[in-house]
Amino acid sequence: MGSISKHNIILIGFMGSGKTTVGKRLAERLSYQFSDTDQLLEQRAGDTISHIFTVRGEEYFRNLETDFLKEISRSLNQTVLSTGGGLPLREQNSGLLKEMGYVVFLNASKETTLKRLNGDTSRPLLMGDELDRKVERLLSKRTPIYEAAAQKIIATDDKTIDEIVAYIMEAYLKQIY
Ligand code: S3P
């Protein structure tokens, strides 16, 4: 066995970086389960993330994320887990992610991110005006944190979904065999 102890892939990165799309296809190729922390949290809360942010605030949502991660961290197996863009920001969470599997950062430039998020209404942190400035500020704050949390960094700007998936598979399979 290679250098990781658990057979899971964890995708991290900014909103719009392709974690869910890539994660689903990657899971198919590996015959793994696919899970998404945002979807699971919404199901569990019976509410949307936007509504949770509005009614309870960001800190409450971050606590939900951490509690949830602690809960699933031991049981996850043969799973591709896509994570909410803010989840690795807490050190406790990024520590747990590393214990859970092979952590891959899907990196996208500001330009690509803006294109993908244009018109989106589901991300509470990006609501209102000045999307450009918000994305720039958050990206520069978060990018070093994502880099430190990941075992593999993939520049996604000029790659197709299939190319990204192939790249991750190659790197991951080297780790486990
Ligand atoms: C967030 C990203 C969102 C969601 C929430 C907060 C963030 O997930 O968890 O809106 O802080 O970056 P996606 O990265 O899947 O959009």
Side-chain angles (χ1 to χ4, degrees):
M1 191 146 101
S3 57
I4 50 171
S5 55
K6 298 244 177 97
H7 289 188
N8 299 303
I9 299 179
I10 322 286
L11 300 180
I12 65 169
F14 201 74
M15 295 167 266
S17 60
K19 293 164 292 185
T20 304
T21 314
V22 168
K24 282 185 178 158
R25 198 160 310 169
L26 183 60
E28 258 170 47
R29 296 279 156 82
L30 288 164
S31 299
Y32 276 18
Q33 305 281 338
F34 172 75
S35 292
D36 180 315
T37 59
D38 286 337
Q39 269 173 20
L40 292 170
L41 281 172
E42 286 190 333
Q43 273 168 23
R44 177 178 278 209
D47 201 352
T48 63
I49 290 171
S50 293
H51 194 246
I52 297 172
F53 262 70
T54 311
V55 177
R56 306 273 201 160
E58 181 171 353
E59 189 62 16
Y60 179 87
F61 174 72
R62 298 298 173 203
N63 290 334
L64 287 184
E65 278 186 322
T66 301
D67 289 347
F68 178 68
L69 201 61
K70 279 198 253 172
E71 214 178 292
I72 62 164
S73 61
R74 285 179 192 284
S75 57
L76 208 72
N77 189 34
Q78 298 207 318
T79 298
V80 177
L81 180 71
S82 162
T83 58
L87 189 140
L89 304 180
R90 280 192 181 175
E91 223 173 290
Q92 184 186 12
N93 295 354
S94 56
L96 278 171
L97 294 179
K98 277 208 172 117
E99 286 170 24
M100 287 161 69
Y102 187 60
V103 183
V104 178
F105 167 31
L106 299 185
N107 196 9
S109 66
K110 184 181 106 180
E111 291 66 33
T112 302
T113 303
L114 282 170
K115 263 189 234 152
R116 291 192 188 145
L117 293 175
N118 192 19
D120 180 273
T121 54
S122 66
R123 269 92 171 192
L125 291 180
L126 303 177
M127 294 315 285
D129 315 329
E130 303 194 311
L131 180 65
D132 192 300
R133 277 191 42 205
K134 281 181 190 147
V135 167
E136 183 169 325
R137 191 176 52 79
L138 284 173
L139 264 182
S140 59
K141 191 173 144 211
R142 291 178 172 192
T143 302
I145 300 173
Y146 294 141
E147 284 170 352
Q151 278 129 297
K152 187 84 194 165
I153 300 169
I154 305 205
T156 61
D157 279 349
D158 303 315
K159 295 188 181 75
T160 64
I161 302 297
D162 281 327
E163 283 168 344
I164 298 167
V165 166
Y167 201 75
I168 298 173
M169 278 181 68
E170 194 192 332
Y172 173 66
L173 294 173
K174 269 191 210 148
Q175 298 290 313
I176 63 169
Y177 293 116

